[in-house]
Amino acid sequence: MLRRGFTEIDTSSAIVDVSDVISTKYVNDPIHGYIKLNKHMLEFIDTPQFQRLRNLKQIGSGYHVFPGGSHNRFEHCIGTSFLANEVVQGLSLRQPELAIDERDIRCVTLAGLCHDLGHGPYSHMFDNEFIPRARPGIEWSHEMGSEMMLDYAIDENNIDIEDDDVKFIKRLIQGTNIPVCDEKMFLFDIVANKRNGVDVDKFDYIQRDCYNVGVKSSYDFSRLMLNSRIIDNEVCYDHKEAYNLTEMFHTRYSLHKRVYRHRAAKAIELMMVDAMLIADPVLQISQAVTDPSQYQHLTDDVVRDIERSKDPELEAARALIKRIHKRDIYKFVDEFILPPELASIANNHVINEAEIVGHRSTNDDFVERDVLVEFCCVHYGMHKDNPVDHINFYSKHSVNEKFPIASEFISLCVPQKYEECIVRIFTRTASKRGQIQRAARKLIEKLNSNNVACSPGSSPPSITPNRGFTLPEDMSLEIAKRRRLEFR
C-alpha cells in the first residue's frame, strides 16, 4: 500500500502508464507537502491564463498590513485541486458503490484547480468594490470570470477536453443544489458547497491564510476529509467532527474580523478603488471583464501601470498610490455594530455621507467628499444561520443513516448569533476626523431617538458608540503631541 497525502492507494496490481509517469510533476507546498500534478492539471497550469494567478495576492490589500500575507491565488488553486482530488479519491476507495469514475475524479480536480481563474486585481476588492462603481448595473462576479477564462485557456492553448466535461467543471465551480441530469450530486459539495459551505476551497484558504499571516487555527481539515461519507447523495461527517466543523466556521469568522476586514487594510482598499476609478477612463480597466484577452493581463500590477504612466489624467491616481507607499492612508473615524433588530438600516438610505454632512456643527468645514461610509456583515458563512445546522452526520453504529446535530449537543458555549452588521466610517482628509466623528454620532443619536419615539412604553434597541474609538476634542493638539514624540 502506498500512502500519498490522505489517500491509500493499492499498488499491488497497478499497471504503470509510462506516458503518465513522464508527464507527472511534483511541487512542494508549505501547507500540503508534495503535491502531484498530473498531465490533465499541467495542461491548464502551464498556460498564461493560469500563470496570471501568480500576480494576484490572495488577501488583497491585507498584504499591506500583514507582511507574511504575500501568497497568491496560484498556490491556493493548486492546493484546492489537491484537496479536491484527495476527497473524491478517498470517497471512491471507501465507498466503491458510489461508482465514481475517472471522469468524475478528473473534472472535480480541474474544478478545484480553475475555480479562481476569474479573480481580478486585489482579489475580492475588484468584484465587490471596483466593478459596481465602475460599471453600475453590470452583473459580474469572479466565478463568471473563472468560466470566461476557463473557456479562453482551452481555446488559446488547444486543450483537448470534451464539451460536456467543460460544462460539468463550470457547474462544479459555481456549485448548485439543483439536480443536474446524469451527474452525481454529492460531487457538487466538494469544491463550492452551496448546501452548508464545507468545501475544499475553504479548507485550503483558511489553513493557507492562517499560516501566512500568523493566525493560529485549531481545527483540522484532514480529519474532516478522512471521516466523510456519502449518504443520500450528500457529503456527511462522523458525529465526532461536529465541534471540529464549528471551529472551522469560527476560524473563518475570525479571519474576516481580524485580517480580511482589518481597518488599515480597508482604508488602503478604499484608496486603491479611488485610484483605479480615476484611471479607468484611460486604462479601460473595467472593460476587461468582458474581454478575456485583456483580462489575462489584468493583475495587481495595474497599480504599477498607474505609477509608471506619465499621462496627466492619472496624476491624482498616482498621488493616491504614493500616499499608500508613504503610509499616509485614509483614516478610520468610527465604527458601530448594529443590534440585530436594527440591521436593516445598514444601507445608504439611512446612514450615508450626505446624512453625516447634514449633522455638522456650525464651525465644521468637512464636505461629502471627505466622508466614506462602509457597510459589512461578518458571519460564519450563512449569514444569520449556524452553518453546522445545515450539515448531516453519521455514527459508526449506523453508517448509512444521516442526522443533524443541534448546537446544544455540540457545546453550550457556541455563539447564539452568527452574524453581525457593522457600519464603518473613514475619511479621505485626516484633519477632519474629529468633526466627522462628532457629526456621525449626532446622526446615531437621532436614529436612536427616532426608535424610542416609534416604540412608546418599551425599550427599543439602540446603537451604542464604542468609547475606545472616541477621539480627543481637539485633534490638532493630539497630532502635535505625536509629532513631538516622533522627534524626541
Side-chain angles (χ1 to χ4, degrees):
M1 297 293 285
L2 176 63
R3 185 171 175 80
R4 288 177 184 161
F6 306 109
T7 306
E8 291 183 348
I9 304 172
D10 187 351
T11 59
S12 58
S13 60
I15 299 175
V16 179
D17 187 329
V18 176
S19 64
D20 285 346
V21 173
I22 293 173
S23 62
T24 296
K25 295 181 181 179
Y26 290 87
V27 294
N28 191 7
D29 180 70
I31 307 302
H32 308 302
Y34 281 99
I35 295 177
K36 176 184 175 181
L37 306 178
N38 62 39
K39 62 181 181 181
H40 301 295
M41 297 167 70
L42 289 169
E43 284 181 326
F44 285 90
I45 292 171
D46 295 336
T47 66
Q49 293 75 28
F50 192 89
Q51 294 293 319
R52 162 184 178 270
L53 300 180
R54 290 182 183 271
N55 298 310
L56 294 175
K57 288 286 178 288
Q58 176 78 11
I59 61 171
S61 61
Y63 176 47
H64 290 266
V65 178
F66 297 91
S70 58
H71 54 303
N72 302 304
R73 292 280 164 187
F74 179 85
E75 50 265 40
H76 165 59
C77 284
I78 290 177
T80 302
S81 70
F82 166 73
L83 294 180
N85 183 271
E86 290 289 319
V87 168
V88 73
Q89 291 265 26
L91 290 171
S92 179
L93 287 170
R94 292 192 298 273
Q95 294 181 265
E97 69 275 11
L98 296 174
I100 295 173
D101 56 29
E102 190 275 334
R103 173 182 178 264
D104 294 330
I105 295 170
R106 183 178 68 253
C107 288
V108 170
T109 302
L110 290 177
L113 185 72
C114 299
H115 79 284
D116 274 352
L117 279 179
H119 265 292
Y122 290 86
S123 292
H124 291 285
M125 180 204 82
F126 188 77
D127 48 341
N128 292 342
E129 304 292 341
F130 173 71
I131 288 297
R133 290 172 172 80
R135 299 187 66 177
I138 188 175
E139 183 182 350
W140 192 85
S141 66
H142 73 268
E143 289 90 355
M144 295 169 65
S146 293
E147 293 188 19
M148 176 181 76
M149 295 306 291
L150 177 66
D151 286 334
Y152 187 59
I154 292 169
D155 293 342
E156 286 293 297
N157 300 282
N158 299 313
I159 296 173
D160 185 16
I161 185 170
E162 296 291 333
D163 288 343
D164 286 344
D165 289 358
V166 176
K167 292 177 183 177
F168 185 29
I169 292 167
K170 288 180 179 179
R171 291 193 185 108
L172 290 167
I173 290 172
Q174 288 284 356
T176 181
N177 284 330
I178 302 171
V180 178
C181 183
D182 298 327
E183 304 294 358
K184 304 173 182 72
M185 284 307 298
F186 64 84
L187 295 175
F188 295 92
D189 290 349
I190 295 174
V191 175
N193 191 336
K194 299 300 182 185
R195 192 193 309 271
N196 50 47
V198 183
D199 52 46
V200 294
D201 177 27
K202 201 171 273 85
F203 292 169
D204 186 86
Y205 82 69
I206 289 178
Q207 201 77 6
R208 194 173 299 278
D209 291 355
C210 285
Y211 174 86
N212 283 281
V213 304
V215 172
K216 303 303 180 185
S217 170
S218 61
Y219 100 95
D220 185 357
F221 67 84
S222 62
R223 280 183 58 91
L224 296 175
M225 294 170 61
L226 288 169
N227 291 287
S228 59
R229 283 184 61 81
I230 304 303
I231 304 173
D232 294 339
N233 234 346
E234 174 186 353
V235 179
C236 303
Y237 298 90
D238 191 313
H239 70 100
K240 292 183 290 187
E241 298 306 311
Y243 188 74
N244 195 19
L245 285 159
T246 301
E247 278 291 286
M248 183 191 75
F249 288 113
H250 175 75
T251 304
R252 177 197 182 277
Y253 164 82
S254 183
L255 282 169
H256 276 271
K257 189 82 170 175
R258 300 165 62 186
V259 179
Y260 308 145
R261 298 186 183 276
H262 189 283
R263 291 196 294 273
K266 186 62 187 183
I268 292 169
E269 183 178 290
L270 292 169
M271 296 180 78
M272 291 289 189
V273 171
D274 279 352
M276 288 172 63
L277 287 172
I278 293 168
D280 192 41
V282 177
L283 300 181
Q284 299 291 296
I285 300 168
S286 64
Q287 300 305 310
V289 298
T290 54
D291 185 345
S293 63
Q294 292 184 42
Y295 200 72
Q296 176 183 320
H297 303 289
L298 188 59
T299 66
D300 293 352
D301 287 342
V302 68
V303 172
R304 305 283 87 79
D305 294 337
I306 295 171
E307 285 186 295
R308 286 189 291 263
S309 173
K310 302 298 182 182
D311 194 316
E313 292 185 48
L314 300 186
E315 180 60 37
R318 289 193 293 270
L320 282 171
I321 295 169
K322 186 175 182 179
R323 283 182 61 182
I324 293 172
H325 292 325
K326 296 177 71 175
R327 205 62 175 185
D328 178 20
I329 62 176
Y330 292 167
K331 297 301 180 184
F332 170 79
V333 174
D334 218 340
E335 176 180 298
F336 307 99
I337 298 179
L338 302 176
E341 300 85 352
L342 300 179
S344 61
I345 72 169
N347 61 71
N348 290 329
H349 300 294
V350 179
I351 301 175
N352 57 45
E353 292 83 356
E355 283 291 333
I356 293 173
V357 171
H359 287 77
R360 289 180 300 186
S361 297
T362 304
N363 296 324
D364 290 345
D365 60 352
F366 71 91
V367 296
E368 199 170 318
R369 174 68 183 170
D370 294 319
V371 187
L372 289 158
V373 178
E374 183 223 0
F375 300 95
C376 65
C377 288
V378 185
H379 50 82
Y380 271 52
M382 297 189 74
H383 295 279
K384 294 181 181 180
D385 288 353
N386 176 7
V388 180
D389 290 341
H390 295 262
I391 300 171
N392 280 310
F393 299 87
Y394 67 88
S395 165
K396 66 180 180 180
H397 304 295
S398 183
V399 295
N400 292 318
E401 292 183 15
K402 65 181 183 181
F403 53 87
I405 299 179
S407 59
E408 59 264 30
F409 294 108
I410 299 172
S411 171
L412 294 179
C413 295
V414 298
Q416 298 303 307
K417 294 181 175 62
Y418 294 89
E419 178 183 44
E420 60 184 18
C421 292
I422 301 170
V423 180
R424 277 182 175 172
I425 302 167
F426 294 84
T427 179
R428 293 182 172 94
T429 313
S431 60
K432 308 293 177 66
R433 285 177 72 196
Q435 297 180 23
I436 296 170
Q437 186 182 84
R438 288 191 294 273
R441 293 191 174 189
K442 285 182 182 178
L443 172 59
I444 296 301
E445 288 177 9
K446 178 184 175 183
L447 292 174
N448 287 337
S449 297
N450 290 344
N451 287 337
V452 171
C454 293
S455 305
S458 64
S459 298
S462 61
I463 305 170
T464 305
N466 186 333
R467 288 183 61 185
F469 297 144
T470 303
L471 298 170
E473 285 294 324
D474 193 338
M475 280 298 295
S476 60
L477 293 176
E478 182 71 13
I479 293 170
K481 179 181 177 182
R482 287 181 185 174
R483 286 174 178 166
R484 287 197 298 274
L485 289 172
E486 287 171 3
F487 284 101
R488 284 182 180 175

